[in-house]
Amino acid sequence: MKSIEIRKTFLDFFASKQHQIVDSAPMVVKDDPTLMFTNAGMNQFKDIFLGNMPRKYARVADTQKCLRVSGKHNDLDEVGFDTYHHTMFEMLGNWSFGDYFKEEAIAWAWELLTEVYKIDKNILYVTIFGGDEKDKMPKDEEAYNFWKKWIAEDRILLGSKKDNFWEMGDTGPCGPCSEIHIDLRSEEEKKKISGKELVNKDHPQVVEVWNLVFMQFNRMANGSLVELPAKHVDTGMGFERLCMALQGKQSNYDTDVFQPLIQHLSQLSGIKYGAEKMSDVAMRVIADHVRAVSFAIADGQLPSNNKAGYVIRRILRRAVRYGYTFLNFKEPFMHLLVPVLTEQMKGTFKEIASQQDLVRKVMMEEEATFLRTLETGIRLLDQQIQKAKAENKTEISGQDCFVLYDTYGFPIDLTELILRENNMTLNHAEFETELAAQKDRSRKDAAVDTDDWVIVKEGELTKFLGYDQLEAEVEILRYRKVKAKNKEQYQLVFSQTPFYAESGGQVGDTGYIETKSGEKIPITYTKKENLLSIHLADKLPQNPAETFKAVVDQKSRQATACNHTATHLLHYALRQVLGTHVEQKGSLVNDRNLRFDFSHFQKVSLEELVKVERMVNAMIRQNIGKTENREMNIEDARKLGAMALFGEKYGDKVRVMQFGDSVELCGGTHVNATGDIGFFKILSEGAVASGIRRIEAVTAENAEEFVYSFQRMAHEMRELFGGSGELMQAVTKVVEHNEKMNKQLAEMMAERVTEIQKRLVEDAIETGDYALIEIHAELMPEIIKDVAFGLRKELKNVVFIATGVNNNKPYIHLLLGDDVVAKGLNASAIIRESAKEIGGSGGGQPFYATAGGSNENGIANAMNKIKEMLQIKV
Ligand code: SER
């Protein structure tokens, strides 16, 4: 069976069992502080498990893009070295939300594997939860009994909490689980040792394929378990492992999921897969990582220097570094695999196909940057090695290697490899100390202490009223305390709210809640966590159970609305002016300005920007009214021309925001008519990454303010340039004057040089072998150089040494005449030695070299050293 059929068979099977087939959620998680990337199929249903949100369907199935590279589930270090772990993988899953439970989950899993996929029952084992004393949990008898119906009892194994109690993270929904393992070894191997002994023992051919989790509990911040309101099923089957089993392979990488990538890599590198251990590892690493990085970029997460972006950057760098070292790629190569991946995935995940160009461009640029870093790192390391060799050492300090690692992103294992090649080692203890200190620093920076929710009242959570009103009567349903960096805050969840919670690029609302007694407690921000609206406050009202008046800061909300609607108009105008390849790649809207990132492959010209700006302002003057539909079918919305963004999660019903021809799916708050915006002004246009441009703009009062400040600047400039009348005229006058002065200065300098030169030749000391000229003066380096080159023409045996202080820094220049150089003397080598005396460095050519330093007092010694070195040689 081809992988495409395997995937389809799974979905068809569960559809036949009345499951609704849903799309994969984006791989990059937006509104969950406990999670950066989707690490399991159940993430998108977390709120349903917790009872925060009602279920839409009782039974659901899908294939979910997962990435396990951070947090509780992190497989990154194994990837490539073994044959069955991945960073990005697909998880096939079926769910029951308060519907069927263990019996059906077990029966259907068995039916699918053994009757539909026709896997031999004799190569399957199952595990069940064996109980845990600390959590006071008994063995999962129920699951045991249901399994007994299908599989011999000696194939049902008891597992520990580590393997058979599934948790998403430190807190959240969890429960006992039952895993299905498959033994893919040869008959001969099986005779030697029973598969039973190898379950959960990291054997590459005895692997877990499917995990059936019976969600029953919520793990609280204090570690205790609380029963969930209803019981659920969450199953996850590793798609790539299933393909290995069904395609009769010994490794995930031998399946048709990875082989096209590996074959292409083999072609590009000229190295066969299977030729050698480390080149095989490298190919597996790259074939795996190119998937993770491509899907992350397609989901809107560009590689960057922090958080999720940094994780993606590190994955990419890991791949490049393996390619560089073991496959001899010295130029960007990974992006060449993107078309192969697109071809494979386009039927299942359309985000990859439609953004192929962008993914390639971003990847290529990242690769190129990192390859340059590698070259720099290798050069720096080489300097360390030379230095150590000169000092007869065989060990490089851990601190130096840490700087390479931390500042230049140079991988430590590459450092070790290079050192080994030079018969050197690195001081591991020192390196580890530095690393631990850094980890400690960042942990302290990021540490957040979150208490469990205190439930004030039961009730359906947070109805959003803020599209229609900015004030409302609200009740606090639950609250909790959060401590980060010694700052305490309260998070409040209301029954209903006029406050908009940050999402879709629009910042959250601020305002206050007012108690019955008239006390106002500021709401400092509103954000989303999964689907909950969370209001932040520095203190808790004395009686959280009373009713409050919640009031949104109207001025800030209106300014934000202007910027949000303007963003839609900008998006529309960009597609009109530049073309429909323009797609939103990021957006930030607050009460001061708007920032819009979009795909476009070159700089937007000034004329184009003006066109866009004019178009937006024309739409503002037309005062187009808002047409809002809060509950449109997604298909109808698409027909209307609304564009869905990749990396966003949409339901079947969407909110459609229309201003004339601009139609967008959007949950944000907007002006009633475009005229409210008043005026739109672009402030800047630039690149954010390869293929992605950013426009920053202002509207309304902020745009007006910008024009005034521009006017003020023009006025001040005119004053500064001493002109009355036109600014341009005044500036032109100063520029012309400047040019004249420069010419005069150049003439004067030339005269000065000739003069100095003449005097120096007269004062030269004949030492027998050469004419020695020394000067010590505060001169511009250009003048010294001109003088030196003049002397070179005049005296073949000149030795010219100029020292002095320029800009508070000591300098030395050394010129050797042609006859002196012919004797084998080298100005560059001499200056490098003498530079040490002034605490600096230097270099140049054999006839002329310069040095700069920091210690003025060393000049005399430096001079002596130069003379000494010359005399030794003469
Ligand atoms: N959540 C479980 C897992 O990730 C089953 O889907 O293994």
Side-chain angles (χ1 to χ4, degrees):
M1 250 193 198
K2 286 232 173 354
S3 54
I4 295 189
E5 293 163 62
I6 295 174
R7 193 189 284 116
K8 185 171 178 306
T9 304
F10 178 90
L11 297 174
D12 289 349
F13 176 79
F14 281 102
S16 79
K17 308 276 185 212
Q18 291 77 49
H19 285 63
Q20 174 71 30
I21 308 302
V22 301
D23 281 341
S24 169
M27 198 169 71
V28 185
V29 175
K30 289 221 172 84
D31 302 316
D32 190 335
T34 67
L35 211 57
M36 252 190 228
F37 302 102
T38 298
N39 67 5
M42 53 75 66
N43 297 158
Q44 63 166 318
F45 307 114
K46 186 174 154 187
D47 276 313
I48 303 179
F49 290 134
L50 290 173
N52 289 340
M53 288 294 145
R55 66 180 193 196
K56 218 184 275 161
Y57 309 103
R59 301 176 180 186
V60 161
D62 71 2
T63 179
Q64 171 66 49
K65 301 172 273 184
C66 297
L67 190 61
R68 291 196 166 171
V69 288
S70 57
K72 192 174 178 72
H73 299 275
N74 185 349
D75 296 329
L76 185 59
D77 290 339
E78 272 99 327
V79 173
F81 285 90
D82 70 20
T83 50
Y84 59 102
H85 276 101
H86 300 292
T87 55
M88 186 236 159
F89 64 99
E90 277 180 67
M91 193 183 271
L92 302 168
N94 58 292
W95 285 271
S96 149
F97 304 120
D99 187 32
Y100 63 84
F101 204 45
K102 295 182 188 176
E103 183 171 12
E104 294 87 338
I106 288 172
W108 290 337
W110 192 253
E111 182 187 336
L112 177 62
L113 292 183
T114 60
E115 284 171 34
V116 180
Y117 288 135
K118 304 217 179 306
I119 295 177
D120 178 3
K121 291 176 190 166
N122 297 318
I123 63 169
L124 294 174
Y125 293 89
V126 301
T127 63
I128 62 139
F129 179 52
D132 183 75
E133 251 172 49
K134 204 171 136 233
D135 276 337
K136 297 199 188 57
M137 295 265 306
K139 167 183 163 194
D140 192 349
E141 286 291 348
E142 263 185 321
Y144 189 87
N145 290 330
F146 290 131
W147 274 122
K148 258 183 4 195
K149 280 204 242 171
W150 309 109
I151 187 167
E153 280 187 65
D154 67 343
R155 288 179 168 263
I156 309 176
L157 315 172
L158 296 191
S160 65
K161 177 171 156 188
K162 178 178 149 280
D163 292 321
N164 284 86
F165 194 89
W166 199 84
E167 312 204 31
M168 188 188 89
D170 292 334
T171 58
C174 55
C177 63
S178 189
E179 297 172 346
I180 305 172
H181 293 252
I182 191 161
D183 182 356
L184 298 170
R185 294 171 307 151
S186 65
E187 285 310 316
E188 219 181 356
E189 296 272 337
K190 283 183 202 159
K191 268 188 210 126
K192 279 190 222 148
I193 174 167
S194 149
K196 207 167 145 171
E197 310 291 326
L198 298 174
V199 165
N200 274 331
K201 294 280 164 20
D202 291 329
H203 191 288
Q205 271 101 49
V206 185
V207 292
E208 173 198 344
V209 277
W210 204 345
N211 188 11
L212 317 178
V213 184
F214 310 117
M215 290 286 182
Q216 264 170 283
F217 303 102
N218 187 12
R219 173 79 68 187
M220 310 305 278
N222 66 6
S224 66
L225 292 172
V226 173
E227 282 269 351
L228 290 175
K231 291 190 172 118
H232 316 282
V233 171
D234 152 28
T235 89
M237 173 144 64
F239 171 63
E240 297 76 8
R241 290 183 187 179
L242 178 66
C243 291
M244 155 167 84
L246 295 181
Q247 295 177 356
K249 305 290 184 197
Q250 300 278 298
S251 149
N252 288 2
Y253 293 92
D254 292 341
T255 65
D256 69 342
V257 180
F258 289 97
Q259 270 304 307
L261 295 168
I262 289 183
Q263 290 312 328
H264 199 71
L265 258 178
S266 169
Q267 238 175 42
L268 291 173
S269 62
I271 298 173
K272 265 215 175 84
Y273 184 59
E276 199 254 324
K277 177 170 177 242
M278 284 319 286
S279 56
D280 281 1
V281 170
M283 286 193 203
R284 288 196 290 265
V285 165
I286 297 162
D288 174 280
H289 291 8
V290 72
R291 290 164 30 106
V293 176
S294 300
F295 275 97
I297 297 172
D299 267 358
Q301 184 56 65
L302 299 185
S304 75
N305 252 346
N306 52 44
K307 296 191 183 147
Y310 188 56
V311 177
I312 299 304
R313 175 165 283 171
R314 278 202 345 247
I315 298 174
L316 178 134
R317 289 182 167 187
R318 187 170 186 262
V320 173
R321 171 249 174 295
Y322 275 89
Y324 181 91
T325 313
F326 301 108
L327 303 176
N328 297 320
F329 286 123
K330 305 293 179 230
E331 299 290 327
F333 61 93
M334 215 170 144
H335 66 105
L336 299 172
L337 297 173
V338 175
V340 182
L341 179 65
T342 308
E343 195 46 41
Q344 269 180 295
M345 289 292 183
K346 65 181 182 198
T348 316
F349 301 104
K350 40 186 179 311
E351 61 271 35
I352 270 287
S354 72
Q355 298 181 94
Q356 194 190 158
D357 284 349
L358 178 77
V359 172
R360 275 193 65 168
K361 277 211 154 68
V362 171
M363 199 180 277
M364 187 165 89
E365 184 176 292
E366 273 290 310
E367 286 189 78
T369 311
F370 184 55
L371 283 166
R372 280 198 297 275
T373 304
L374 281 181
E375 301 287 354
T376 311
I378 287 172
R379 219 180 38 244
L380 290 174
L381 186 58
D382 194 52
Q383 282 172 12
Q384 309 269 10
I385 292 173
Q386 296 317 327
K387 196 171 130 220
K389 277 188 179 158
E391 292 166 8
N392 271 330
K393 286 188 195 150
T394 59
E395 189 184 73
I396 304 275
S397 92
Q399 283 94 349
D400 286 342
C401 294
F402 184 77
V403 171
L404 268 180
Y405 163 84
D406 194 42
T407 316
Y408 298 94
F410 198 72
I412 192 65
D413 47 356
L414 186 56
T415 302
E416 282 183 289
L417 192 83
I418 295 172
L419 289 180
R420 253 201 317 278
E421 284 166 6
N422 283 277
N423 293 322
M424 294 216 171
T425 53
L426 92 96
N427 188 321
H428 273 282
E430 283 173 4
F431 180 81
E432 293 300 330
T433 312
E434 293 289 324
L435 191 66
Q438 189 221 35
K439 281 201 173 138
D440 203 41
R441 278 193 301 275
S442 52
R443 202 181 45 243
K444 279 198 186 120
D445 279 349
V448 181
D449 240 338
T450 310
D451 285 0
D452 286 326
W453 289 110
V454 177
I455 308 290
V456 183
K457 270 192 196 108
E458 291 294 341
E460 201 156 303
L461 299 172
T462 323
K463 188 162 159 221
F464 180 60
L465 309 170
Y467 291 140
D468 306 306
Q469 59 199 73
L470 296 182
E471 281 186 29
E473 292 278 301
V474 307
E475 285 181 313
I476 297 177
L477 294 185
R478 49 167 93 170
Y479 66 84
R480 68 179 173 193
K481 197 160 75 181
V482 177
K483 219 159 92 188
K485 287 194 195 154
N486 298 326
K487 188 172 157 11
E488 257 184 24
Q489 257 187 340
Y490 287 89
Q491 302 190 335
L492 317 175
V493 175
F494 298 157
S495 49
Q496 51 178 9
T497 185
F499 286 89
Y500 181 81
E502 176 191 323
S503 58
Q506 180 178 331
V507 294
D509 277 338
T510 56
Y512 60 86
I513 53 172
E514 192 174 342
T515 65
K516 286 257 166 6
S517 61
E519 191 195 357
K520 288 180 181 168
I521 296 176
I523 297 297
T524 54
Y525 200 62
T526 315
K527 62 174 190 174
K528 251 189 191 167
E529 209 173 291
N530 301 303
L531 298 170
L532 289 186
S533 277
I534 299 207
H535 305 77
L536 304 182
D538 290 341
K539 64 186 266 201
L540 203 60
Q542 240 173 14
N543 175 14
E546 69 174 279
T547 308
F548 304 89
K549 186 166 95 178
V551 181
V552 173
D553 180 336
Q554 191 263 341
K555 206 169 161 237
S556 159
R557 167 71 91 78
Q558 176 63 15
T560 306
C562 287
N563 284 333
H564 202 154
T565 305
T567 303
H568 285 200
L569 303 184
L570 169 65
H571 189 188
Y572 172 79
L574 283 169
R575 286 171 64 90
Q576 295 293 311
V577 174
L578 303 179
T580 48
H581 61 279
V582 168
E583 271 179 21
Q584 174 170 341
K585 283 290 153 217
S587 147
L588 176 74
V589 175
N590 58 35
D591 58 4
R592 296 178 304 281
N593 60 355
L594 66 94
R595 204 175 73 192
F596 187 69
D597 296 348
F598 56 99
S599 44
H600 182 58
F601 296 122
Q602 70 254 19
K603 190 164 175 51
V604 186
S605 71
L606 190 60
E607 296 81 71
E608 287 166 330
L609 282 179
V610 171
K611 241 181 177 169
V612 167
E613 215 168 43
R614 279 186 197 280
M615 193 176 278
V616 173
N617 278 314
M619 288 168 90
I620 291 173
R621 284 191 301 273
Q622 284 161 22
N623 198 21
I624 308 164
K626 165 169 77 180
T627 313
E628 178 190 358
N629 189 329
R630 291 188 195 161
E631 288 265 302
M632 195 182 273
N633 273 328
I634 186 144
E635 284 316 317
D636 294 341
R638 284 216 172 94
K639 272 185 220 138
L640 252 187
M643 284 196 319
L645 303 183
F646 292 112
E648 288 293 335
K649 217 154 68 177
Y650 295 105
D652 309 335
K653 293 267 193 251
V654 289
R655 180 164 177 259
V656 178
M657 188 52 61
Q658 205 171 349
F659 288 94
D661 292 334
S662 144
V663 190
E664 302 219 4
L665 300 184
C666 178
T669 63
H670 288 268
V671 296
N672 290 324
T674 54
D676 295 356
I677 301 169
F679 178 38
F680 168 82
K681 184 83 200 82
I682 293 177
L683 302 185
S684 66
E685 190 276 344
V688 203
S690 167
I692 299 191
R693 312 293 305 176
R694 168 172 295 175
I695 283 183
E696 286 179 305
V698 281
T699 64
E701 273 178 25
N702 291 320
E704 225 174 82
E705 216 20 76
F706 174 77
V707 174
Y708 293 142
S709 70
F710 214 78
Q711 210 173 16
R712 263 197 309 276
M713 187 176 76
H715 182 77
E716 279 164 15
M717 269 165 73
R718 197 170 52 210
E719 300 271 295
L720 194 68
F721 283 112
S724 49
E726 281 286 313
L727 174 62
M728 275 310 278
Q729 262 172 15
V731 175
T732 314
K733 230 165 97 189
V734 172
V735 170
E736 278 169 0
H737 181 69
N738 232 348
E739 270 168 15
K740 235 197 273 154
M741 299 277 287
N742 275 342
K743 226 163 118 199
Q744 276 180 13
L745 189 66
E747 279 166 19
M748 279 167 68
M749 272 185 29
E751 272 170 31
R752 181 101 204 272
V753 167
T754 326
E755 214 176 89
I756 298 175
Q757 208 172 290
K758 212 170 122 213
R759 221 182 52 224
L760 290 177
V761 172
E762 280 164 12
D763 290 352
I765 303 168
E766 281 300 333
T767 65
D769 268 325
Y770 43 78
L772 177 64
I773 303 176
E774 284 175 59
I775 53 165
H776 183 75
E778 192 166 326
L779 284 174
M780 277 158 63
E782 296 81 5
I783 296 193
I784 305 178
K785 189 172 171 192
D786 285 350
V787 169
F789 280 48
L791 291 173
R792 184 180 182 217
K793 272 195 210 132
E794 218 150 298
L795 299 168
K796 297 283 170 222
N797 64 341
V798 70
V799 169
F800 170 59
I801 315 171
T803 60
V805 180
N806 191 24
N807 275 338
N808 292 327
K809 295 236 156 75
Y811 67 79
I812 313 169
H813 290 228
L814 174 64
L815 173 100
L816 303 181
D818 291 349
D819 289 353
V820 186
V821 175
K823 283 188 185 153
L825 285 159
N826 185 330
S828 185
I830 295 173
I831 208 114
R832 247 202 315 272
E833 270 310 302
S834 60
K836 289 178 189 160
E837 300 293 333
I838 55 168
S841 59
Q845 287 159 282
F847 73 95
Y848 180 63
T850 61
S854 53
N855 173 20
E856 197 183 321
N857 299 331
I859 289 183
N861 279 349
M863 287 285 258
N864 288 340
K865 194 141 202 189
I866 294 176
K867 284 190 210 160
E868 217 174 83
M869 288 175 82
L870 286 164
Q871 274 158 14
I872 288 165
K873 195 77 187 164
V874 175

